[in-house]
Amino acid sequence: MTNNTMTAEAFKQRQKSVTLEGIVEEPVKVNYTDVGSGPVIMLLHGIPTWSYLFQAVIPELEKEYRVITPDLLGYGFSDQRDRFDRSLQVQAELVVKLMEKLELKQVNLAAHDIGGGVGLLLALNEPERINKLVLSNTVAYDSWPIEEMLMMGHPSGKNKTSQEIEDFLSKGYKDMFSHQEQLTSTFLEGIMEPYLHEEGKVSLVRNASALNTNETTSITHKLPNIQHDVLLLWGTKDSWQPVETGEELEKDLPNGKLVRIDHASHWVPQEAPEEFAAEIKKFMSEK
């Protein structure tokens, strides 16, 4: 697996680009991967990543599923202009508008980190659009934003040099990878690439400043209303979004089931891609 890391350039070249209206006040560009055929699985990344986080998972899923993986607004190679909100609610609207553009009535959703917060919002507010839901090391309750992201989101962050941004991101990956052999130089360079230029740097700061605990605490009391089958797929060595959050979600979600990946930390899709994909496929095949 470590020798098969797709470069960010190759991943980007495979992406499609679409202009979507109705998410924020003006049309925005959204980049996404759309490969494979069969039942649709949409993969949502978190911060400070982009859809490249799933580069090793997509080949495991596309043999049996149509896999759609967007860059969230302000992330990756989607619109990064410094003129719109990047809240979870906005990202949920991106998913809805992308589904409408692709004429998808319903998808299975597998979401990591803040993408999981988006998934929870969609399950509550657009329940008919979601079939099954996978949440991996996701934000919930008041588990976020972590201290590093609060620091990154300070407006002064835009004054950091690209080298300082690179050092900050590199440390975040190196410190939180249980399987260092999966943290290839190709992956590390690729996951950081969209944020190591002026517009990308500012966009990353704005993405971090948009992180708001209230977006999940305001729905905590509604979690028991989610009737979807939910797989909570958790790397247990994660100190940023600890497994205790997954345990709490398992209690609050009527059809939630926690599966622990004991040898992984936060970046599960890259640390344990085969296991990540296998658990999703198993979950999808359950009646």
Side-chain angles (χ1 to χ4, degrees), residues 189-252:
E189 290 166 12
I191 203 74
M192 296 189 296
E193 182 181 320
Y195 309 112
L196 300 184
H197 57 86
E198 193 58 33
E199 186 178 54
K201 177 181 73 173
V202 174
S203 195
L204 180 61
V205 173
R206 304 301 185 229
N207 294 342
S209 70
L211 305 177
N212 185 347
T213 315
N214 294 332
E215 287 200 272
T216 46
T217 55
S218 64
I219 62 170
T220 293
H221 66 289
K222 300 179 184 178
L223 293 178
N225 297 337
I226 295 177
Q227 297 302 312
H228 304 75
D229 290 333
V230 183
L231 172 63
L232 303 158
L233 194 51
W234 227 273
T236 60
K237 296 188 182 299
D238 188 352
S239 59
W240 289 345
Q241 300 302 330
V243 70
E244 286 78 12
T245 299
E247 292 168 351
E248 203 168 342
L249 283 167
E250 186 178 35
K251 292 175 187 173
D252 281 343

Side-chain angles (χ1 to χ4, degrees), residues 37 79 116 174 215 232:
S37 60
D79 211 317
K174 290 173 181 174
E215 287 200 272
L232 303 158

Side-chain angles (χ1 to χ4, degrees), residues 83-112:
R83 52 196 291 166
F84 46 75
D85 182 21
R86 294 112 191 280
S87 65
L88 298 188
Q89 195 59 61
V90 164
Q91 308 297 358
E93 196 60 40
L94 180 153
V95 172
V96 169
K97 296 302 182 187
L98 182 60
M99 286 180 64
E100 289 176 352
K101 189 78 170 183
L102 299 179
E103 299 181 345
L104 300 171
K105 290 187 176 179
Q106 192 176 68
V107 299
N108 299 290
L109 193 66
H112 181 259

Side-chain angles (χ1 to χ4, degrees), residues 78-224:
S78 286
D79 211 317
Q80 289 190 333
R81 291 174 298 161
D82 191 17
R83 52 196 291 166
F84 46 75
D85 182 21
R86 294 112 191 280
S87 65
L88 298 188
Q89 195 59 61
V90 164
Q91 308 297 358
E93 196 60 40
L94 180 153
V95 172
V96 169
K97 296 302 182 187
L98 182 60
M99 286 180 64
E100 289 176 352
K101 189 78 170 183
L102 299 179
E103 299 181 345
L104 300 171
K105 290 187 176 179
Q106 192 176 68
V107 299
N108 299 290
L109 193 66
H112 181 259
D113 191 76
I114 67 162
V118 175
L120 289 171
L121 288 177
L122 288 167
L124 281 167
N125 300 329
E126 303 275 351
E128 71 287 347
R129 295 186 186 274
I130 307 299
N131 180 28
K132 290 189 173 186
L133 180 61
V134 180
L135 302 174
S136 177
N137 293 65
T138 189
V139 303
Y141 311 109
D142 60 356
S143 70
W144 66 299
I146 62 170
E147 186 175 357
E148 289 87 345
M149 287 295 108
L150 285 169
M151 293 166 58
M152 174 58 68
H154 194 279
S156 65
K158 71 175 184 180
N159 300 322
K160 294 182 184 294
T161 66
S162 290
Q163 187 61 54
E164 287 174 317
I165 297 290
E166 184 174 349
D167 292 345
F168 169 81
L169 293 175
S170 293
K171 186 176 189 303
Y173 280 94
K174 290 173 181 174
D175 287 354
M176 292 293 284
F177 245 84
S178 294
H179 289 274
Q180 288 294 319
E181 75 279 2
Q182 291 295 93
L183 185 57
T184 62
S185 58
T186 302
F187 176 78
L188 184 59
E189 290 166 12
I191 203 74
M192 296 189 296
E193 182 181 320
Y195 309 112
L196 300 184
H197 57 86
E198 193 58 33
E199 186 178 54
K201 177 181 73 173
V202 174
S203 195
L204 180 61
V205 173
R206 304 301 185 229
N207 294 342
S209 70
L211 305 177
N212 185 347
T213 315
N214 294 332
E215 287 200 272
T216 46
T217 55
S218 64
I219 62 170
T220 293
H221 66 289
K222 300 179 184 178
L223 293 178

